């Protein structure tokens, strides 16, 4: 775990499976149909149980597909986290299709929704960094910048990015250190 402090907020990087998070809300890197899928989406649905898919279907029936960059809230069901915020990142198509704006919006919409619902501790995966193919260095800089902004403006008091695997964790830690300088706390178990 590595930690930086911004105003009264804390940014944490953790290695591991986000379904273990006990945050108030975990963010799911979903698709617009909220259909479940592979990657972190599949892991969250497996851990939360089948009621999560039912809750997602209800949202789609009520409001239609979730556009990329927006976010919606469901209960967490069997997860330790009480809520899931579902957001949709951009599919990388070369960078000329508004991908950066959409990725920023996915983080910012999730932070705003957490704030509106009084959820102070939020856990993110690396949105769009798997099946959706976003270049990792750019994605990390966008994510870290949006989370720093959300913490500095008091939208949430703790934001954790869960990185799947040691290599991803080391990469993100390097990116964060380049942007923010030395961490307040580094590499506790
Ligand atoms: N905990 C934390 N991070 C994880 C986990 C986990 N359990 N599993 C994977 N990751 P992806 P996307 C990392 O593909 O690129 C789905 O099918 C993974 O290593 O899950 O936004 C959806 O339904 C990667 O760094 O999400 C959509 O159709 C990151 O999570 C589509 O994929 C995101 O990878 C969304 O693609």
């Amino acid at each position: 775990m590595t930690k930086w402090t911004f105003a009264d907020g804390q940014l944490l990087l953790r290695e591991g499976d986000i379904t273990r998070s006990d945050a108030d809300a975990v963010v799911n890197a979903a698709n617009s149909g909220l259909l479940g899928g592979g990657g972190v989406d599949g892991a969250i649905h497996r851990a939360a149980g089948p009621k999560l898919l039912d809750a997602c279907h209800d949202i789609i029936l009520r409001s239609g597909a979730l556009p990329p960059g927006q976010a919606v809230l469901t209960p967490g069901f069997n997860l330790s986290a009480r809520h899931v915020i579902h957001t949709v990142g951009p599919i990388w198509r070369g960078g000329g299709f508004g991908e950066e704006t959409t990725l920023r919006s996915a983080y910012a919409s999730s932070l705003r929704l957490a704030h509106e619902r009084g959820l102070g501790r939020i856990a993110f995966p690396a949105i769009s960094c798997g099946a959706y193919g976003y270049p990792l260095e750019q994605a990390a800089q966008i994510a870290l910048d949006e989370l720093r902004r959300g913490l500095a403006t008091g939208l949430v008091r703790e934001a954790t990015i869960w990185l799947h695997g040691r290599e991803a964790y080391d990469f993100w830690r390097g990116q964060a250190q380049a942007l923010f300088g030395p961490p307040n706390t580094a590499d506790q178990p």
Side-chain angles (χ1 to χ4, degrees):
M1 186 270 283
T2 315
K3 183 166 84 184
W4 286 263
T5 301
F6 302 105
D8 293 330
Q10 296 189 328
L11 173 67
L12 287 82
L13 301 185
R14 290 194 93 100
E15 182 192 346
D17 178 358
I18 197 172
T19 64
R20 291 173 37 223
S21 166
D22 65 354
D24 298 322
V26 296
V27 175
N28 183 17
N31 51 65
S32 287
L34 301 183
L35 302 166
V40 72
D41 194 3
I44 286 174
H45 275 276
R46 275 193 302 279
K51 286 186 179 164
L52 182 60
L53 200 56
D54 295 342
C56 287
H57 283 150
D58 288 347
I59 290 172
I60 294 293
L61 284 176
R62 252 195 340 265
S63 314
L66 180 67
Q70 296 188 20
V72 294
L73 186 83
T74 66
F77 300 104
N78 296 338
L79 290 169
S80 305
R82 282 182 298 124
H83 300 91
V84 179
I85 290 174
H86 306 261
T87 193
V88 183
I91 299 172
W92 180 257
R93 292 195 287 152
F97 294 85
E99 289 97 327
E100 175 173 350
T101 305
T102 305
L103 187 58
R104 285 191 182 279
S105 175
Y107 283 99
S109 304
S110 300
L111 289 165
R112 270 200 309 276
L113 185 53
H115 180 70
E116 283 163 18
R117 304 302 285 257
L119 306 172
R121 297 175 59 237
I122 182 168
F124 284 89
I127 299 168
S128 286
C129 290
Y132 281 1
Y134 211 104
L136 290 189
E137 188 171 334
Q138 293 172 48
Q141 286 176 8
I142 290 164
L144 292 165
D145 188 45
E146 288 299 324
L147 296 191
R148 180 198 50 75
R149 193 196 311 270
L151 290 161
T153 58
L155 287 182
V156 296
R157 67 173 192 283
E158 184 187 289
T160 303
I161 310 179
W162 286 77
L163 287 325
H164 212 213
R166 185 77 204 184
E167 201 182 322
Y169 174 76
D170 287 343
F171 176 78
W172 279 69
R173 194 181 48 181
Q175 294 289 314
Q177 208 153 318
L179 284 175
F180 306 141
N184 302 97
T185 314
D187 281 333
Q188 293 172 347

